[in-house]
Amino acid sequence: MRKLLFLIILTAFLNFGLKAQENLGAIKWLTFEEAEKLDSAENRPFLIDVYTDWCGWCKRMMATTFSNPQLAGYINQNFYCVRLDAETKDTINFLGKTWVSDGHNNYLARHLLRDRLSYPTIVYMDKKKNSAPIPGYMEIKDIEPILVYFAEDLSGNVDLEEFKDMYMFNYPNIYKNDLSKLKDTKVDTLGKVNWLTFDEASKKYQKEKKPILIDVYIDRKYRGYVPYCTINSLIHEGVVMKNKKMCDYINQNFYPVRFEATTKDTIYWLADTLKQHAHVSLGNNLPNNFTHVLMNNNFKFPSMFFFDKDLKLVGKTDTFIAPDLWLTVMKFYATEAYKRQNFETFYRANHKS
């Protein structure tokens, strides 16, 4: 009888343990010590879930949002994830400090949440360990743009709220209700770049010399094998490169060329600055040889390359940039300001925030 009772208790205990494990979603949760050790070998942003045992919305977010396998896969690939019980009495070592409880809340929770104790709160910590607490329960569609923003380290290139708006504009079917509630947004998609082929740009250049802008992209059907590019490239193409003020400036000051990185077409470049005249495809679904030469085998998207009037490569960008900042970048190269000063100096004098 005692043996049977022991087995019943043991079975109940194991079942409870399995259920508790399942309720932690599909995220690979680490301790703070484990996360810092991994970070010392490969620097990544941190995702810190600050919760309490009594928080119903915390449990719901774990059971719904964090249990989605696709979302969890993206998070596991791009973040070191840690859970922090805000009311834990445990001593925690993190960021070179020791954090203890004040009798009710752990001082680390108070520090990360900046004394605004609301649950759940996800604290995003970039590679330099700057933190950004974002409170509230979030569905998948709500947390997606925030995850991309911090995973791609975009804080220096675009404001989070502006990025979220652009993200929604790029997926109107998913964010239809959210977009209908937007009253004040800077998103402008009324512009159009008059993209040229290499042959068309060459003919125009022979008549009048202008700087040349080359935008390299990956066809959507091939994007699976190129890391980094998928989401940001879609927003770059679908929203950023449709900003009217920026498009008008490009059309007036550059010969804009856009080509697909895996094209099988033979490309004839205008000068010997990139080693060869003719560049052909390297095979099925592989980057064109011109792509290899242009990017120096460092494939990041969205990528843009700036050539001056003498066809000399004078600059490139390979990250997501907001339209206003893009316009400043365009002016930096179109006016040949790069010959007189660095971009930081030019930016401070010309960028309107």
Side-chain angles (χ1 to χ4, degrees):
M1 183 68 181
R2 289 182 178 178
K3 185 176 181 181
L4 179 60
L5 181 60
F6 173 77
L7 289 174
I8 292 173
I9 294 173
L10 178 62
T11 301
F13 176 79
L14 290 174
N15 285 338
F16 175 80
L18 288 173
K19 288 179 180 178
Q21 190 175 18
E22 289 172 358
N23 287 340
L24 291 181
I27 306 296
K28 295 178 182 177
W29 298 107
L30 306 166
T31 65
F32 282 101
E33 291 79 6
E34 290 170 336
E36 286 197 308
K37 184 176 181 180
L38 289 171
D39 189 56
S40 65
E42 180 186 347
N43 192 211
R44 287 187 192 178
F46 281 36
L47 183 153
I48 304 173
D49 175 28
V50 185
Y51 71 100
T52 64
D53 287 335
W54 48 262
C55 171
W57 286 107
C58 301
K59 294 180 175 66
R60 181 174 177 180
M61 189 165 176
M62 189 63 63
T64 56
T65 305
F66 285 146
S67 292
N68 179 276
Q70 287 76 30
L71 187 76
Y74 182 84
I75 293 173
N76 290 332
Q77 183 178 358
N78 292 282
F79 294 88
Y80 295 128
C81 304
V82 183
R83 300 195 78 216
L84 172 61
D85 180 354
E87 298 178 353
T88 183
K89 300 298 190 295
D90 295 342
T91 298
I92 301 172
N93 295 308
F94 184 54
L95 301 175
K97 297 181 179 180
T98 299
W99 308 87
V100 298
S101 175
D102 64 3
H104 186 64
N105 297 107
N106 192 284
Y107 281 108
L108 177 57
R110 301 186 72 92
H111 170 72
L112 292 175
L113 271 56
R114 300 169 187 171
D115 278 331
R116 298 178 180 177
L117 304 179
S118 174
Y119 313 106
T121 292
I122 306 300
V123 178
Y124 299 89
M125 188 170 285
D126 65 21
K127 294 180 180 181
K128 295 180 180 178
K129 301 301 173 282
N130 300 311
S131 62
I134 300 181
Y137 169 82
M138 291 190 182
E139 298 178 1
I140 294 173
K141 68 179 182 65
D142 300 319
I143 200 172
E144 269 189 5
I146 301 173
L147 290 170
V148 174
Y149 182 83
F150 286 103
E152 303 295 355
D153 195 21
L154 301 181
S155 60
N157 299 339
V158 58
D159 177 74
L160 174 59
E161 293 305 313
E162 184 180 1
F163 180 77
K164 286 165 62 177
D165 287 355
M166 288 189 288
Y167 195 97
M168 289 190 293
F169 265 78
N170 198 63
Y171 302 99
N173 293 333
I174 297 175
Y175 294 98
K176 182 178 180 180
N177 292 333
D178 301 86
L179 290 170
S180 66
K181 299 174 184 177
L182 284 181
K183 296 180 179 180
D184 183 22
T185 178
K186 296 180 181 179
V187 179
D188 168 16
T189 57
L190 300 177
K192 182 180 179 180
V193 178
N194 299 325
W195 295 111
L196 305 170
T197 65
F198 279 98
D199 185 55
E200 290 169 339
S202 177
K203 291 178 180 178
K204 287 181 175 292
Y205 180 83
Q206 302 303 330
K207 295 180 179 179
E208 179 186 359
K209 289 186 177 182
K210 272 188 181 183
I212 293 178
L213 168 67
I214 298 181
D215 179 20
V216 190
Y217 72 100
I218 288 283
D219 190 287
R220 297 189 182 203
K221 62 184 176 183
Y222 297 146
R223 282 176 175 159
Y225 82 96
V226 180
Y228 182 81
C229 75
T230 306
I231 299 175
N232 285 342
S233 287
L234 290 175
I235 303 172
H236 172 78
E237 296 168 14
V239 180
V240 176
M241 295 308 296
K242 292 183 179 179
N243 179 273
K244 183 168 177 28
K245 186 180 294 185
M246 188 178 70
C247 291
D248 289 347
Y249 190 86
I250 292 173
N251 292 332
Q252 293 170 9
N253 295 278
F254 293 91
Y255 292 134
V257 176
R258 190 166 189 263
F259 85 100
E260 204 279 315
T262 67
T263 182
K264 296 179 181 178
D265 297 339
T266 299
I267 295 172
Y268 293 93
W269 181 231
L270 294 165
D272 293 328
T273 52
L274 292 178
K275 300 180 182 178
Q276 299 176 342
H277 278 285
H279 301 272
V280 296
S281 174
L282 299 182
N284 189 33
N285 295 0
L286 291 176
N288 188 285
N289 189 36
F290 184 70
T291 309
H292 277 277
V293 174
L294 192 62
M295 293 188 164
N296 196 25
N297 295 327
N298 183 25
F299 304 117
K300 287 186 177 181
F301 302 89
S303 282
M304 283 198 174
F305 298 83
F306 298 88
F307 291 82
D308 66 11
K309 295 179 181 179
D310 298 319
L311 303 179
K312 179 182 178 182
L313 179 62
V314 292
K316 68 175 183 178
T317 62
D318 56 14
T319 188
F320 184 90
I321 299 177
D324 285 348
L325 180 54
W326 255 127
L327 185 58
T328 305
V329 173
M330 299 293 176
K331 291 179 179 178
F332 179 68
Y333 291 111
T335 62
E336 298 186 341
Y338 58 87
K339 293 181 178 180
R340 304 182 296 274
Q341 56 192 307
N342 59 34
F343 180 73
E344 288 72 20
T345 303
F346 182 81
Y347 173 85
R348 287 194 296 269
N350 294 273
H351 184 72
K352 296 180 180 180
S353 58

